[in-house]
Amino acid sequence: MLVSGALAVTTSVVLMRSNIRTMDVLVYDTKKYDRETLNAANADAGAPHKLVFVESLLNERTASLADGFPAVSLFVNDDASAPVLERLAHGGVRLITLRSTGFNNVDLDAAARCGLTVMRVANYSPYAVAEFAVALLLAVNRKLHRAYNRTREGNFALDGLQGYDIHGKTVGVIGTGRIGAVFARIMHGFGVTLLGYDLTPHPECLALGMRYVSLDALLAESDVISLHTPLLPSTYHLINAEALAKMKRGVILINTSRGALVDAEALIEALKSGHVGAVGLDVYEEEEGLFFRDRSDQIITDDVFARLMTFPNVLITGHQAFFTHEALAQIAAATIRNLSDFEAGRRNENVLIPRSA
Ligand code: NAD
């Protein structure tokens, strides 16, 4: 079924087995690939759940769409702040299941107050994101984004395309959890000196020879810095003007984690002065109104983003690091399992706020 307008709705056709308890789920912020993978995962599980897909993001205006649904599924730019959660709970929602690892867009305290269970996908291919971070690094270092455009225009000049060997450089990894550790392992293969900054050292990173240092030391010593911490109050604008000033001149900064780890305005100043050598960003603090949609015929009104896009040494992608076949399948399977476990009263590793009694 397709309902016209911004709140277009499609309903998956599912076969419900009488011996399996089902959940009716409103799935926000969906694209064709979400619908395909979620329907496939649901079918693989015996089609236990009725999935209703909407393209719109969750916000105060669209929360009422979930009235009567016991569960909603959200993605990274859905707004699950307190007023929205209160509205969802008022409409009968009991479970929020996120199709992401990060949960910075959900007010967990408010969810607990509203009696909402919150689940996420704690584990899915860390390779998807780590490999993408490496891709950004190689692209901005060797200027692949510029070379691609040049050769298509018949310009085979090399001026301005010079990079450096990654081999022998010092690479700083901020946040050495699942993704940071895979990134470190790949970088190890390049023959680099690895520095790490985390609250808890990762045994695999230690085994690679990573030296855990203070944030200041990592900023000062690294030729390349890649961000892999979650967005938390403690990591908000971790990379601000002060942190940027502590970095080596010519540093390459890669952010595939969350946009708000970086103060974009401070980054622009550091790029303008030439202090930062190159930047690869898959995320942006204000990406919610921009990413995951074709806006090629629209005017970009975010002047900070527009300025970032003007630098030849900045490569921005639209939050696609997770976007591999394997990761999407794992996210979909975990989402279906979260729904089944919630309905059956089972707890699993994806629970952020448990089911209230
Ligand atoms: P993880 O929980 O395995 O690792 C995060 C690490 O950050 C942990 O080791 C933790 O100790 C560390 N950390 C937390 N607070 C810190 C602080 N204040 N200072 C230093 N270190 C701190 O998470 P993960 O699976 O590796 O994912 C990391 C992040 O990547 C997610 O939170 C998410 O924001 C982002 N992500 C992005 C995409 C994408 O498509 N771009 C996809 C998946 C995840």
Side-chain angles (χ1 to χ4, degrees):
M1 179 178 63
L2 188 67
V3 176
S4 64
L7 307 181
V9 176
T10 54
T11 308
S12 67
V13 178
V14 292
L15 299 171
M16 282 178 264
R17 293 199 319 213
S18 56
N19 60 338
I20 297 176
R21 290 206 285 176
T22 71
M23 292 279 285
D24 281 9
V25 191
L26 188 69
V27 190
Y28 280 95
D29 190 15
T30 57
K31 305 285 181 299
K32 183 169 171 279
Y33 47 81
D34 297 306
R35 296 191 279 271
E36 285 171 359
T37 52
L38 283 163
N39 280 334
N42 197 33
D44 284 349
H49 306 297
K50 186 178 174 197
L51 309 176
V52 178
F53 298 106
V54 290
E55 291 172 9
S56 38
L57 291 167
L58 171 65
N59 52 43
E60 280 194 70
R61 197 171 60 84
T62 61
S64 60
L65 286 174
D67 286 357
F69 283 86
V72 294
S73 167
L74 309 183
F75 196 47
V76 292
N77 289 326
D78 287 304
D79 169 7
S81 57
V84 179
L85 294 173
E86 283 158 18
R87 182 63 189 82
L88 288 177
H90 175 75
V93 170
R94 293 179 291 129
L95 169 67
I96 291 176
T97 183
L98 298 162
R99 306 192 301 284
S100 59
T101 304
F103 49 88
N104 49 284
N105 52 331
V106 183
D107 184 333
L108 292 181
D109 292 337
R113 270 200 314 277
C114 294
L116 291 163
T117 299
V118 182
M119 302 172 91
R120 62 168 172 159
V121 183
N123 285 304
Y124 71 84
S125 173
Y127 309 102
V129 183
E131 289 172 10
F132 195 81
V134 176
L136 282 178
L137 167 58
L138 293 179
V140 295
N141 176 37
R142 304 303 294 271
K143 328 285 196 267
L144 297 184
H145 53 305
R146 302 188 65 200
Y148 173 77
N149 286 328
R150 275 193 196 183
T151 53
R152 284 172 69 87
E153 293 294 326
N155 176 357
F156 304 103
L158 298 183
D159 310 71
L161 300 185
Q162 191 177 316
Y164 59 55
D165 291 3
I166 300 285
H167 176 84
K169 298 294 181 295
T170 298
V171 175
V173 186
I174 299 185
T176 58
R178 284 177 292 264
I179 296 169
V182 173
F183 177 81
R185 200 187 314 150
I186 301 171
M187 284 292 99
H188 180 70
F190 279 75
V192 302
T193 299
L194 282 171
L195 298 181
Y197 172 70
D198 200 307
L199 310 174
T200 327
H202 193 297
E204 220 182 284
C205 292
L206 289 170
L208 291 172
M210 177 180 275
R211 188 160 54 87
Y212 280 88
V213 294
S214 68
L215 180 59
D216 279 1
L218 185 146
L219 298 175
E221 293 176 36
S222 300
D223 300 297
V224 171
I225 296 175
S226 192
L227 306 180
H228 300 286
T229 58
L231 175 59
L232 302 165
S234 60
T235 58
Y236 175 79
H237 284 188
L238 188 71
I239 304 303
N240 55 18
E242 213 185 340
L244 287 159
K246 288 175 184 162
M247 293 179 191
K248 272 189 182 175
R249 190 170 178 82
V251 66
I252 295 182
L253 177 67
I254 305 296
N255 186 9
T256 55
S257 196
R258 284 293 181 267
L261 295 179
V262 177
D263 178 344
E265 293 189 39
L267 180 61
I268 286 170
E269 292 310 312
L271 281 159
K272 279 164 73 176
S273 71
H275 187 70
V276 167
V279 179
L281 300 176
D282 186 47
V283 284
Y284 171 63
E285 183 167 1
E286 303 297 332
E287 70 180 50
E288 179 201 316
L290 278 170
F291 286 3
F292 302 118
R293 305 260 185 301
D294 179 0
R295 301 193 188 281
S296 51
D297 60 352
Q298 295 172 14
I299 305 297
I300 293 179
T301 54
D302 181 332
D303 291 347
V304 173
F305 185 77
R307 182 65 178 102
L308 272 177
M309 296 276 285
T310 65
F311 293 99
N313 51 349
V314 174
L315 175 54
I316 300 179
T317 50
H319 205 139
Q320 72 174 85
F322 74 99
F323 200 54
T324 66
H325 175 79
E326 290 81 358
L328 281 186
Q330 290 162 14
I331 290 168
T335 300
I336 298 302
R337 187 163 59 84
N338 284 349
L339 294 163
S340 300
D341 285 350
F342 172 81
E343 188 57 4
R346 287 189 297 265
R347 205 172 162 150
N348 69 24
E349 76 284 2
N350 292 326
V351 172
L352 292 168
I353 300 285
R355 188 179 168 139
S356 49

PDB file of all heavy atoms in Angstrom, residues 101-102 124 129 175-180 197-200 228-230 232 234-235 256-258 282-283 319 321-322, ligand 1:
ATOM      1  N   THR A 101      24.024   1.411  15.820  1.00  0.00           N
ATOM      2  CA  THR A 101      24.792   1.163  17.040  1.00  0.00           C
ATOM      3  C   THR A 101      24.681   2.378  17.962  1.00  0.00           C
ATOM      4  O   THR A 101      24.404   2.262  19.147  1.00  0.00           O
ATOM      5  CB  THR A 101      26.276   0.925  16.688  1.00  0.00           C
ATOM      6  OG1 THR A 101      26.347  -0.138  15.756  1.00  0.00           O
ATOM      7  CG2 THR A 101      27.091   0.571  17.910  1.00  0.00           C
ATOM      8  N   GLY A 102      24.910   3.564  17.366  1.00  0.00           N
ATOM      9  CA  GLY A 102      24.842   4.807  18.139  1.00  0.00           C
ATOM     10  C   GLY A 102      23.403   5.084  18.561  1.00  0.00           C
ATOM     11  O   GLY A 102      22.458   4.768  17.835  1.00  0.00           O
ATOM     12  N   TYR A 124      27.223  -4.911  14.537  1.00  0.00           N
ATOM     13  CA  TYR A 124      27.130  -5.288  13.127  1.00  0.00           C
ATOM     14  C   TYR A 124      28.453  -4.922  12.497  1.00  0.00           C
ATOM     15  O   TYR A 124      29.244  -4.174  13.091  1.00  0.00           O
ATOM     16  CB  TYR A 124      25.928  -4.650  12.418  1.00  0.00           C
ATOM     17  CG  TYR A 124      26.010  -3.173  12.165  1.00  0.00           C
ATOM     18  CD1 TYR A 124      26.666  -2.677  11.046  1.00  0.00           C
ATOM     19  CD2 TYR A 124      25.415  -2.274  13.020  1.00  0.00           C
ATOM     20  CE1 TYR A 124      26.738  -1.322  10.807  1.00  0.00           C
ATOM     21  CE2 TYR A 124      25.469  -0.912  12.784  1.00  0.00           C
ATOM     22  CZ  TYR A 124      26.139  -0.448  11.686  1.00  0.00           C
ATOM     23  OH  TYR A 124      26.215   0.891  11.451  1.00  0.00           O
ATOM     24  N   VAL A 129      32.390   0.085   8.537  1.00  0.00           N
ATOM     25  CA  VAL A 129      32.734   1.465   8.907  1.00  0.00           C
ATOM     26  C   VAL A 129      34.251   1.671   8.903  1.00  0.00           C
ATOM     27  O   VAL A 129      34.756   2.675   8.392  1.00  0.00           O
ATOM     28  CB  VAL A 129      32.129   1.819  10.288  1.00  0.00           C
ATOM     29  CG1 VAL A 129      32.414   3.281  10.633  1.00  0.00           C
ATOM     30  CG2 VAL A 129      30.624   1.556  10.294  1.00  0.00           C
ATOM     31  N   GLY A 175      39.020   6.356  20.335  1.00  0.00           N
ATOM     32  CA  GLY A 175      37.933   5.385  20.477  1.00  0.00           C
ATOM     33  C   GLY A 175      38.352   4.084  19.831  1.00  0.00           C
ATOM     34  O   GLY A 175      38.321   3.948  18.605  1.00  0.00           O
ATOM     35  N   THR A 176      38.809   3.148  20.659  1.00  0.00           N
ATOM     36  CA  THR A 176      39.317   1.885  20.101  1.00  0.00           C
ATOM     37  C   THR A 176      38.395   0.726  20.493  1.00  0.00           C
ATOM     38  O   THR A 176      38.826  -0.286  21.026  1.00  0.00           O
ATOM     39  CB  THR A 176      40.762   1.612  20.578  1.00  0.00           C
ATOM     40  OG1 THR A 176      40.759   1.573  22.013  1.00  0.00           O
ATOM     41  CG2 THR A 176      41.717   2.679  20.092  1.00  0.00           C
ATOM     42  N   GLY A 177      37.100   0.922  20.215  1.00  0.00           N
ATOM     43  CA  GLY A 177      36.131  -0.159  20.424  1.00  0.00           C
ATOM     44  C   GLY A 177      36.108  -1.062  19.208  1.00  0.00           C
ATOM     45  O   GLY A 177      37.139  -1.286  18.566  1.00  0.00           O
ATOM     46  N   ARG A 178      34.917  -1.540  18.859  1.00  0.00           N
ATOM     47  CA  ARG A 178      34.821  -2.500  17.756  1.00  0.00           C
ATOM     48  C   ARG A 178      35.347  -1.924  16.449  1.00  0.00           C
ATOM     49  O   ARG A 178      36.168  -2.541  15.767  1.00  0.00           O
ATOM     50  CB  ARG A 178      33.358  -2.951  17.586  1.00  0.00           C
ATOM     51  CG  ARG A 178      32.893  -3.955  18.628  1.00  0.00           C
ATOM     52  CD  ARG A 178      31.428  -4.277  18.435  1.00  0.00           C
ATOM     53  NE  ARG A 178      30.618  -3.118  18.744  1.00  0.00           N
ATOM     54  CZ  ARG A 178      30.041  -2.893  19.926  1.00  0.00           C
ATOM     55  NH1 ARG A 178      30.158  -3.772  20.887  1.00  0.00           N
ATOM     56  NH2 ARG A 178      29.321  -1.810  20.137  1.00  0.00           N
ATOM     57  N   ILE A 179      34.870  -0.730  16.096  1.00  0.00           N
ATOM     58  CA  ILE A 179      35.267  -0.154  14.801  1.00  0.00           C
ATOM     59  C   ILE A 179      36.706   0.363  14.860  1.00  0.00           C
ATOM     60  O   ILE A 179      37.508   0.095  13.952  1.00  0.00           O
ATOM     61  CB  ILE A 179      34.290   0.975  14.400  1.00  0.00           C
ATOM     62  CG1 ILE A 179      32.881   0.387  14.173  1.00  0.00           C
ATOM     63  CG2 ILE A 179      34.777   1.698  13.151  1.00  0.00           C
ATOM     64  CD1 ILE A 179      31.774   1.421  14.033  1.00  0.00           C
ATOM     65  N   GLY A 180      37.032   1.064  15.937  1.00  0.00           N
ATOM     66  CA  GLY A 180      38.386   1.612  16.077  1.00  0.00           C
ATOM     67  C   GLY A 180      39.439   0.512  16.031  1.00  0.00           C
ATOM     68  O   GLY A 180      40.515   0.692  15.441  1.00  0.00           O
ATOM     69  N   TYR A 197      43.601   6.475  22.006  1.00  0.00           N
ATOM     70  CA  TYR A 197      43.044   7.191  23.154  1.00  0.00           C
ATOM     71  C   TYR A 197      41.667   6.611  23.427  1.00  0.00           C
ATOM     72  O   TYR A 197      40.795   6.590  22.544  1.00  0.00           O
ATOM     73  CB  TYR A 197      42.932   8.697  22.881  1.00  0.00           C
ATOM     74  CG  TYR A 197      42.183   9.428  23.973  1.00  0.00           C
ATOM     75  CD1 TYR A 197      42.755   9.584  25.237  1.00  0.00           C
ATOM     76  CD2 TYR A 197      40.899   9.914  23.761  1.00  0.00           C
ATOM     77  CE1 TYR A 197      42.053  10.223  26.253  1.00  0.00           C
ATOM     78  CE2 TYR A 197      40.202  10.563  24.776  1.00  0.00           C
ATOM     79  CZ  TYR A 197      40.790  10.704  26.018  1.00  0.00           C
ATOM     80  OH  TYR A 197      40.099  11.322  27.028  1.00  0.00           O
ATOM     81  N   ASP A 198      41.500   6.051  24.601  1.00  0.00           N
ATOM     82  CA  ASP A 198      40.220   5.449  24.984  1.00  0.00           C
ATOM     83  C   ASP A 198      40.187   5.357  26.493  1.00  0.00           C
ATOM     84  O   ASP A 198      41.238   5.427  27.149  1.00  0.00           O
ATOM     85  CB  ASP A 198      40.077   4.043  24.351  1.00  0.00           C
ATOM     86  CG  ASP A 198      38.618   3.574  24.305  1.00  0.00           C
ATOM     87  OD1 ASP A 198      37.952   3.600  25.361  1.00  0.00           O
ATOM     88  OD2 ASP A 198      38.160   3.180  23.225  1.00  0.00           O
ATOM     89  N   LEU A 199      39.003   5.184  27.042  1.00  0.00           N
ATOM     90  CA  LEU A 199      38.869   5.002  28.489  1.00  0.00           C
ATOM     91  C   LEU A 199      39.375   3.617  28.871  1.00  0.00           C
ATOM     92  O   LEU A 199      39.911   3.413  29.960  1.00  0.00           O
ATOM     93  CB  LEU A 199      37.406   5.167  28.914  1.00  0.00           C
ATOM     94  CG  LEU A 199      36.722   6.439  28.385  1.00  0.00           C
ATOM     95  CD1 LEU A 199      35.234   6.439  28.727  1.00  0.00           C
ATOM     96  CD2 LEU A 199      37.406   7.680  28.941  1.00  0.00           C
ATOM     97  N   THR A 200      39.191   2.655  27.951  1.00  0.00           N
ATOM     98  CA  THR A 200      39.615   1.275  28.197  1.00  0.00           C
ATOM     99  C   THR A 200      40.447   0.787  27.020  1.00  0.00           C
ATOM    100  O   THR A 200      39.932   0.755  25.899  1.00  0.00           O
ATOM    101  CB  THR A 200      38.369   0.339  28.290  1.00  0.00           C
ATOM    102  OG1 THR A 200      37.293   1.070  28.871  1.00  0.00           O
ATOM    103  CG2 THR A 200      38.652  -0.921  29.050  1.00  0.00           C
ATOM    104  N   HIS A 228      36.475   7.398  16.447  1.00  0.00           N
ATOM    105  CA  HIS A 228      35.601   6.225  16.558  1.00  0.00           C
ATOM    106  C   HIS A 228      34.937   6.123  17.926  1.00  0.00           C
ATOM    107  O   HIS A 228      34.616   5.025  18.380  1.00  0.00           O
ATOM    108  CB  HIS A 228      36.395   4.948  16.245  1.00  0.00           C
ATOM    109  CG  HIS A 228      36.959   4.959  14.862  1.00  0.00           C
ATOM    110  ND1 HIS A 228      36.175   4.769  13.741  1.00  0.00           N
ATOM    111  CD2 HIS A 228      38.213   5.195  14.409  1.00  0.00           C
ATOM    112  CE1 HIS A 228      36.930   4.874  12.661  1.00  0.00           C
ATOM    113  NE2 HIS A 228      38.172   5.133  13.037  1.00  0.00           N
ATOM    114  N   THR A 229      34.759   7.254  18.607  1.00  0.00           N
ATOM    115  CA  THR A 229      34.019   7.219  19.885  1.00  0.00           C
ATOM    116  C   THR A 229      32.552   7.482  19.608  1.00  0.00           C
ATOM    117  O   THR A 229      32.200   8.131  18.622  1.00  0.00           O
ATOM    118  CB  THR A 229      34.487   8.326  20.853  1.00  0.00           C
ATOM    119  OG1 THR A 229      34.301   9.583  20.207  1.00  0.00           O
ATOM    120  CG2 THR A 229      35.918   8.164  21.262  1.00  0.00           C
ATOM    121  N   PRO A 230      31.683   7.027  20.507  1.00  0.00           N
ATOM    122  CA  PRO A 230      30.275   7.415  20.371  1.00  0.00           C
ATOM    123  C   PRO A 230      30.127   8.902  20.678  1.00  0.00           C
ATOM    124  O   PRO A 230      31.030   9.510  21.271  1.00  0.00           O
ATOM    125  CB  PRO A 230      29.567   6.592  21.462  1.00  0.00           C
ATOM    126  CG  PRO A 230      30.590   5.737  22.091  1.00  0.00           C
ATOM    127  CD  PRO A 230      31.931   6.214  21.691  1.00  0.00           C
ATOM    128  N   LEU A 232      28.698  11.421  22.998  1.00  0.00           N
ATOM    129  CA  LEU A 232      28.234  11.485  24.386  1.00  0.00           C
ATOM    130  C   LEU A 232      28.453  12.917  24.856  1.00  0.00           C
ATOM    131  O   LEU A 232      29.197  13.665  24.223  1.00  0.00           O
ATOM    132  CB  LEU A 232      29.075  10.544  25.272  1.00  0.00           C
ATOM    133  CG  LEU A 232      29.115   9.063  24.889  1.00  0.00           C
ATOM    134  CD1 LEU A 232      30.255   8.359  25.615  1.00  0.00           C
ATOM    135  CD2 LEU A 232      27.782   8.416  25.231  1.00  0.00           C
ATOM    136  N   SER A 234      30.414  13.761  26.989  1.00  0.00           N
ATOM    137  CA  SER A 234      31.866  13.870  27.185  1.00  0.00           C
ATOM    138  C   SER A 234      32.655  13.936  25.877  1.00  0.00           C
ATOM    139  O   SER A 234      33.838  14.286  25.882  1.00  0.00           O
ATOM    140  CB  SER A 234      32.369  12.678  28.002  1.00  0.00           C
ATOM    141  OG  SER A 234      32.070  11.478  27.317  1.00  0.00           O
ATOM    142  N   THR A 235      32.026  13.590  24.758  1.00  0.00           N
ATOM    143  CA  THR A 235      32.757  13.614  23.483  1.00  0.00           C
ATOM    144  C   THR A 235      32.224  14.686  22.532  1.00  0.00           C
ATOM    145  O   THR A 235      32.745  14.836  21.421  1.00  0.00           O
ATOM    146  CB  THR A 235      32.710  12.240  22.770  1.00  0.00           C
ATOM    147  OG1 THR A 235      31.338  11.882  22.548  1.00  0.00           O
ATOM    148  CG2 THR A 235      33.394  11.167  23.590  1.00  0.00           C
ATOM    149  N   THR A 256      34.171   9.176  10.876  1.00  0.00           N
ATOM    150  CA  THR A 256      33.075   8.308  10.424  1.00  0.00           C
ATOM    151  C   THR A 256      32.159   7.989  11.600  1.00  0.00           C
ATOM    152  O   THR A 256      31.353   7.064  11.513  1.00  0.00           O
ATOM    153  CB  THR A 256      33.600   6.977   9.840  1.00  0.00           C
ATOM    154  OG1 THR A 256      34.436   6.357  10.835  1.00  0.00           O
ATOM    155  CG2 THR A 256      34.374   7.171   8.559  1.00  0.00           C
ATOM    156  N   SER A 257      32.290   8.739  12.691  1.00  0.00           N
ATOM    157  CA  SER A 257      31.534   8.357  13.891  1.00  0.00           C
ATOM    158  C   SER A 257      30.237   9.148  14.028  1.00  0.00           C
ATOM    159  O   SER A 257      29.171   8.656  13.657  1.00  0.00           O
ATOM    160  CB  SER A 257      32.412   8.495  15.129  1.00  0.00           C
ATOM    161  OG  SER A 257      31.815   7.805  16.194  1.00  0.00           O
ATOM    162  N   ARG A 258      30.313  10.348  14.554  1.00  0.00           N
ATOM    163  CA  ARG A 258      29.141  11.223  14.630  1.00  0.00           C
ATOM    164  C   ARG A 258      29.622  12.647  14.410  1.00  0.00           C
ATOM    165  O   ARG A 258      30.671  13.052  14.925  1.00  0.00           O
ATOM    166  CB  ARG A 258      28.435  11.116  15.993  1.00  0.00           C
ATOM    167  CG  ARG A 258      27.598   9.860  16.196  1.00  0.00           C
ATOM    168  CD  ARG A 258      26.370   9.809  15.276  1.00  0.00           C
ATOM    169  NE  ARG A 258      25.562   8.609  15.487  1.00  0.00           N
ATOM    170  CZ  ARG A 258      25.688   7.472  14.818  1.00  0.00           C
ATOM    171  NH1 ARG A 258      26.616   7.362  13.880  1.00  0.00           N
ATOM    172  NH2 ARG A 258      24.892   6.450  15.066  1.00  0.00           N
ATOM    173  N   ASP A 282      32.305  11.517   7.015  1.00  0.00           N
ATOM    174  CA  ASP A 282      31.110  10.774   6.604  1.00  0.00           C
ATOM    175  C   ASP A 282      29.894  11.244   7.391  1.00  0.00           C
ATOM    176  O   ASP A 282      28.776  10.791   7.133  1.00  0.00           O
ATOM    177  CB  ASP A 282      31.322   9.271   6.838  1.00  0.00           C
ATOM    178  CG  ASP A 282      30.175   8.433   6.296  1.00  0.00           C
ATOM    179  OD1 ASP A 282      29.769   8.676   5.132  1.00  0.00           O
ATOM    180  OD2 ASP A 282      29.656   7.564   7.029  1.00  0.00           O
ATOM    181  N   VAL A 283      30.134  12.111   8.357  1.00  0.00           N
ATOM    182  CA  VAL A 283      29.059  12.553   9.255  1.00  0.00           C
ATOM    183  C   VAL A 283      29.219  14.051   9.471  1.00  0.00           C
ATOM    184  O   VAL A 283      30.321  14.595   9.346  1.00  0.00           O
ATOM    185  CB  VAL A 283      29.127  11.794  10.602  1.00  0.00           C
ATOM    186  CG1 VAL A 283      28.613  10.374  10.481  1.00  0.00           C
ATOM    187  CG2 VAL A 283      30.546  11.788  11.168  1.00  0.00           C
ATOM    188  N   HIS A 319      27.001   9.906   5.220  1.00  0.00           N
ATOM    189  CA  HIS A 319      26.755   8.874   6.250  1.00  0.00           C
ATOM    190  C   HIS A 319      26.534   7.500   5.594  1.00  0.00           C
ATOM    191  O   HIS A 319      25.499   6.857   5.786  1.00  0.00           O
ATOM    192  CB  HIS A 319      25.557   9.268   7.126  1.00  0.00           C
ATOM    193  CG  HIS A 319      25.596   8.636   8.489  1.00  0.00           C
ATOM    194  ND1 HIS A 319      25.252   9.304   9.637  1.00  0.00           N
ATOM    195  CD2 HIS A 319      25.951   7.389   8.895  1.00  0.00           C
ATOM    196  CE1 HIS A 319      25.382   8.511  10.684  1.00  0.00           C
ATOM    197  NE2 HIS A 319      25.808   7.337  10.254  1.00  0.00           N
ATOM    198  N   ALA A 321      29.097   5.034   5.676  1.00  0.00           N
ATOM    199  CA  ALA A 321      30.118   4.069   6.093  1.00  0.00           C
ATOM    200  C   ALA A 321      29.508   2.702   6.431  1.00  0.00           C
ATOM    201  O   ALA A 321      30.121   1.666   6.202  1.00  0.00           O
ATOM    202  CB  ALA A 321      30.899   4.612   7.287  1.00  0.00           C
ATOM    203  N   PHE A 322      28.301   2.708   6.939  1.00  0.00           N
ATOM    204  CA  PHE A 322      27.654   1.441   7.333  1.00  0.00           C
ATOM    205  C   PHE A 322      27.127   0.677   6.124  1.00  0.00           C
ATOM    206  O   PHE A 322      26.722  -0.478   6.258  1.00  0.00           O
ATOM    207  CB  PHE A 322      26.461   1.729   8.270  1.00  0.00           C
ATOM    208  CG  PHE A 322      25.271   2.293   7.543  1.00  0.00           C
ATOM    209  CD1 PHE A 322      24.207   1.484   7.177  1.00  0.00           C
ATOM    210  CD2 PHE A 322      25.236   3.626   7.168  1.00  0.00           C
ATOM    211  CE1 PHE A 322      23.120   1.987   6.473  1.00  0.00           C
ATOM    212  CE2 PHE A 322      24.155   4.147   6.455  1.00  0.00           C
ATOM    213  CZ  PHE A 322      23.098   3.328   6.115  1.00  0.00           C
TER     214      PHE A 322
HETATM  215  P1  NAD B   1      32.136   0.725  20.624  1.00  0.00           P
HETATM  216  O1  NAD B   1      31.229   0.971  21.772  1.00  0.00           O
HETATM  217  O2  NAD B   1      32.579  -0.670  20.327  1.00  0.00           O
HETATM  218  O3  NAD B   1      33.465   1.602  20.797  1.00  0.00           O
HETATM  219  C1  NAD B   1      33.451   2.931  21.239  1.00  0.00           C
HETATM  220  C2  NAD B   1      34.733   3.158  22.023  1.00  0.00           C
HETATM  221  O4  NAD B   1      34.746   4.541  22.406  1.00  0.00           O
HETATM  222  C3  NAD B   1      34.806   2.322  23.306  1.00  0.00           C
HETATM  223  O5  NAD B   1      36.032   1.635  23.346  1.00  0.00           O
HETATM  224  C4  NAD B   1      34.684   3.363  24.414  1.00  0.00           C
HETATM  225  O6  NAD B   1      35.427   3.033  25.573  1.00  0.00           O
HETATM  226  C5  NAD B   1      35.258   4.596  23.729  1.00  0.00           C
HETATM  227  N1  NAD B   1      34.840   5.836  24.377  1.00  0.00           N
HETATM  228  C6  NAD B   1      33.634   6.149  24.908  1.00  0.00           C
HETATM  229  N2  NAD B   1      33.681   7.376  25.452  1.00  0.00           N
HETATM  230  C7  NAD B   1      34.930   7.839  25.272  1.00  0.00           C
HETATM  231  C8  NAD B   1      35.597   9.046  25.628  1.00  0.00           C
HETATM  232  N3  NAD B   1      34.963  10.023  26.291  1.00  0.00           N
HETATM  233  N4  NAD B   1      36.885   9.183  25.288  1.00  0.00           N
HETATM  234  C9  NAD B   1      37.542   8.188  24.628  1.00  0.00           C
HETATM  235  N5  NAD B   1      36.980   7.028  24.276  1.00  0.00           N
HETATM  236  C10 NAD B   1      35.691   6.861  24.593  1.00  0.00           C
HETATM  237  O7  NAD B   1      31.409   1.380  19.372  1.00  0.00           O
HETATM  238  P2  NAD B   1      31.678   1.059  17.837  1.00  0.00           P
HETATM  239  O8  NAD B   1      30.811  -0.059  17.394  1.00  0.00           O
HETATM  240  O9  NAD B   1      33.140   0.978  17.594  1.00  0.00           O
HETATM  241  O10 NAD B   1      31.074   2.379  17.165  1.00  0.00           O
HETATM  242  C11 NAD B   1      31.668   3.649  17.405  1.00  0.00           C
HETATM  243  C12 NAD B   1      30.772   4.727  16.834  1.00  0.00           C
HETATM  244  O11 NAD B   1      30.782   4.659  15.419  1.00  0.00           O
HETATM  245  C13 NAD B   1      29.286   4.584  17.179  1.00  0.00           C
HETATM  246  O12 NAD B   1      28.988   5.112  18.457  1.00  0.00           O
HETATM  247  C14 NAD B   1      28.633   5.394  16.102  1.00  0.00           C
HETATM  248  O13 NAD B   1      28.494   6.742  16.524  1.00  0.00           O
HETATM  249  C15 NAD B   1      29.617   5.333  14.949  1.00  0.00           C
HETATM  250  N6  NAD B   1      29.087   4.605  13.781  1.00  0.00           N
HETATM  251  C16 NAD B   1      29.025   5.242  12.590  1.00  0.00           C
HETATM  252  C17 NAD B   1      28.535   4.585  11.476  1.00  0.00           C
HETATM  253  C18 NAD B   1      28.471   5.230  10.102  1.00  0.00           C
HETATM  254  O14 NAD B   1      27.804   4.704   9.193  1.00  0.00           O
HETATM  255  N7  NAD B   1      29.156   6.342   9.866  1.00  0.00           N
HETATM  256  C19 NAD B   1      28.085   3.263  11.594  1.00  0.00           C
HETATM  257  C20 NAD B   1      28.185   2.628  12.840  1.00  0.00           C
HETATM  258  C21 NAD B   1      28.691   3.310  13.932  1.00  0.00           C
END
